[in-house]
Amino acid sequence: MAEHIKKPTALNIAVLTVSDTRDEETDTSGQYLALVATQAGHNLVEKDIVIDDKYKIRAIVSRWIASSDIQVVLVTGGTGFTPRDMTPEAVSVLFDKNIEGFGELFRAISYTEIGTSTVQSRALAGFANKTGIFCMPGSTGACKTAWEGILKEQLDGSHKPCNFVVHLKNVTSTCDTRG
């Protein structure tokens, strides 16, 4: 049987809200992600809001990927189809590996909540420099779907048979990944 890591005391998480209209007071999605991450025992090490600009988004996420302290980046906003929505274009080029299943599972769960409108989400995830990057839509409801349906378990080192924790920087262990 594969060895599983014990639940770590905390992961170091950064939250980025991509929006032309939100500020610290109105950023309910970023606030939600920061709250649930800390309630799950993780450390919120940075939180920022950036306008829908491909290069500004990429610059912040790149800095966080390069940081030895940040293990997970949660991005909310900019995943739709409007001309301003640039999160996938900004972030996907940074990935060393894509996590195709994240977007697929997000849309499957979301379908039960909002029906076919879920196809308008370009939620995505990947790893870069052993940092997990998870991009979700800007609505607080979508962030709840992603956190409760996927991230809460996958960022918990005790979740079996496997989780994302073992793939992050500054974590050593193995898990049964089934392929």
PDB file of all heavy atoms in Angstrom, residues 4 14 17 20 38 40 55 119 134 136 141:
ATOM      1  N   HIS A   4       0.846   7.487   2.678  1.00  0.00           N
ATOM      2  CA  HIS A   4       0.142   8.756   2.552  1.00  0.00           C
ATOM      3  C   HIS A   4       0.701   9.729   3.570  1.00  0.00           C
ATOM      4  O   HIS A   4       1.046   9.348   4.681  1.00  0.00           O
ATOM      5  CB  HIS A   4      -1.357   8.576   2.820  1.00  0.00           C
ATOM      6  CG  HIS A   4      -2.013   7.700   1.804  1.00  0.00           C
ATOM      7  ND1 HIS A   4      -2.481   8.178   0.615  1.00  0.00           N
ATOM      8  CD2 HIS A   4      -2.258   6.371   1.794  1.00  0.00           C
ATOM      9  CE1 HIS A   4      -2.997   7.190  -0.077  1.00  0.00           C
ATOM     10  NE2 HIS A   4      -2.876   6.085   0.611  1.00  0.00           N
ATOM     11  N   ALA A  14      -1.973  31.863  -1.765  1.00  0.00           N
ATOM     12  CA  ALA A  14      -2.173  33.230  -2.236  1.00  0.00           C
ATOM     13  C   ALA A  14      -3.477  33.267  -3.030  1.00  0.00           C
ATOM     14  O   ALA A  14      -3.795  32.315  -3.751  1.00  0.00           O
ATOM     15  CB  ALA A  14      -1.011  33.669  -3.112  1.00  0.00           C
ATOM     16  N   THR A  17      -7.787  38.011  -7.149  1.00  0.00           N
ATOM     17  CA  THR A  17      -9.056  38.333  -7.786  1.00  0.00           C
ATOM     18  C   THR A  17      -8.760  39.138  -9.045  1.00  0.00           C
ATOM     19  O   THR A  17      -8.035  40.131  -8.997  1.00  0.00           O
ATOM     20  CB  THR A  17      -9.956  39.151  -6.841  1.00  0.00           C
ATOM     21  OG1 THR A  17     -10.229  38.362  -5.683  1.00  0.00           O
ATOM     22  CG2 THR A  17     -11.259  39.538  -7.518  1.00  0.00           C
ATOM     23  N   ASP A  20     -12.123  44.228 -13.080  1.00  0.00           N
ATOM     24  CA  ASP A  20     -12.025  45.659 -13.365  1.00  0.00           C
ATOM     25  C   ASP A  20     -12.891  46.472 -12.411  1.00  0.00           C
ATOM     26  O   ASP A  20     -12.787  47.698 -12.389  1.00  0.00           O
ATOM     27  CB  ASP A  20     -12.494  45.954 -14.798  1.00  0.00           C
ATOM     28  CG  ASP A  20     -11.529  45.438 -15.844  1.00  0.00           C
ATOM     29  OD1 ASP A  20     -10.341  45.271 -15.534  1.00  0.00           O
ATOM     30  OD2 ASP A  20     -11.977  45.211 -16.986  1.00  0.00           O
ATOM     31  N   THR A  38      -8.250  29.648   5.236  1.00  0.00           N
ATOM     32  CA  THR A  38      -7.751  29.776   6.609  1.00  0.00           C
ATOM     33  C   THR A  38      -8.573  28.917   7.573  1.00  0.00           C
ATOM     34  O   THR A  38      -8.010  28.340   8.502  1.00  0.00           O
ATOM     35  CB  THR A  38      -7.718  31.247   7.077  1.00  0.00           C
ATOM     36  OG1 THR A  38      -9.013  31.825   6.934  1.00  0.00           O
ATOM     37  CG2 THR A  38      -6.702  32.042   6.280  1.00  0.00           C
ATOM     38  N   ALA A  40      -9.705  26.101   6.898  1.00  0.00           N
ATOM     39  CA  ALA A  40      -9.221  24.731   6.686  1.00  0.00           C
ATOM     40  C   ALA A  40      -7.828  24.531   7.279  1.00  0.00           C
ATOM     41  O   ALA A  40      -7.262  23.443   7.179  1.00  0.00           O
ATOM     42  CB  ALA A  40      -9.211  24.406   5.192  1.00  0.00           C
ATOM     43  N   TYR A  55      -1.083  40.675 -18.984  1.00  0.00           N
ATOM     44  CA  TYR A  55       0.301  40.792 -18.529  1.00  0.00           C
ATOM     45  C   TYR A  55       0.403  41.121 -17.041  1.00  0.00           C
ATOM     46  O   TYR A  55       1.325  40.666 -16.370  1.00  0.00           O
ATOM     47  CB  TYR A  55       1.050  41.807 -19.395  1.00  0.00           C
ATOM     48  CG  TYR A  55       1.007  41.368 -20.839  1.00  0.00           C
ATOM     49  CD1 TYR A  55       0.138  41.976 -21.738  1.00  0.00           C
ATOM     50  CD2 TYR A  55       1.767  40.286 -21.277  1.00  0.00           C
ATOM     51  CE1 TYR A  55       0.061  41.537 -23.055  1.00  0.00           C
ATOM     52  CE2 TYR A  55       1.691  39.841 -22.590  1.00  0.00           C
ATOM     53  CZ  TYR A  55       0.835  40.465 -23.467  1.00  0.00           C
ATOM     54  OH  TYR A  55       0.747  40.015 -24.755  1.00  0.00           O
ATOM     55  N   VAL A 119     -20.937  25.694 -19.476  1.00  0.00           N
ATOM     56  CA  VAL A 119     -19.997  25.638 -20.596  1.00  0.00           C
ATOM     57  C   VAL A 119     -19.341  26.986 -20.859  1.00  0.00           C
ATOM     58  O   VAL A 119     -18.356  27.066 -21.594  1.00  0.00           O
ATOM     59  CB  VAL A 119     -20.634  25.103 -21.903  1.00  0.00           C
ATOM     60  CG1 VAL A 119     -21.184  23.705 -21.708  1.00  0.00           C
ATOM     61  CG2 VAL A 119     -21.696  26.053 -22.418  1.00  0.00           C
ATOM     62  N   PHE A 134      -5.031  27.294  -9.406  1.00  0.00           N
ATOM     63  CA  PHE A 134      -6.418  26.917  -9.665  1.00  0.00           C
ATOM     64  C   PHE A 134      -7.203  28.172 -10.027  1.00  0.00           C
ATOM     65  O   PHE A 134      -7.336  29.084  -9.214  1.00  0.00           O
ATOM     66  CB  PHE A 134      -7.020  26.233  -8.437  1.00  0.00           C
ATOM     67  CG  PHE A 134      -6.228  25.035  -8.019  1.00  0.00           C
ATOM     68  CD1 PHE A 134      -5.203  25.151  -7.084  1.00  0.00           C
ATOM     69  CD2 PHE A 134      -6.467  23.796  -8.586  1.00  0.00           C
ATOM     70  CE1 PHE A 134      -4.444  24.050  -6.715  1.00  0.00           C
ATOM     71  CE2 PHE A 134      -5.712  22.687  -8.225  1.00  0.00           C
ATOM     72  CZ  PHE A 134      -4.699  22.818  -7.287  1.00  0.00           C
ATOM     73  N   MET A 136     -10.750  29.867 -11.268  1.00  0.00           N
ATOM     74  CA  MET A 136     -12.183  29.632 -11.269  1.00  0.00           C
ATOM     75  C   MET A 136     -12.931  30.910 -11.609  1.00  0.00           C
ATOM     76  O   MET A 136     -12.342  31.986 -11.564  1.00  0.00           O
ATOM     77  CB  MET A 136     -12.622  29.047  -9.921  1.00  0.00           C
ATOM     78  CG  MET A 136     -12.297  29.906  -8.711  1.00  0.00           C
ATOM     79  SD  MET A 136     -11.976  28.952  -7.209  1.00  0.00           S
ATOM     80  CE  MET A 136     -10.191  28.832  -7.273  1.00  0.00           C
ATOM     81  N   GLY A 141     -20.490  32.091  -5.869  1.00  0.00           N
ATOM     82  CA  GLY A 141     -21.082  30.762  -5.985  1.00  0.00           C
ATOM     83  C   GLY A 141     -20.153  29.783  -6.681  1.00  0.00           C
ATOM     84  O   GLY A 141     -20.021  28.627  -6.276  1.00  0.00           O
TER      85      GLY A 141
END
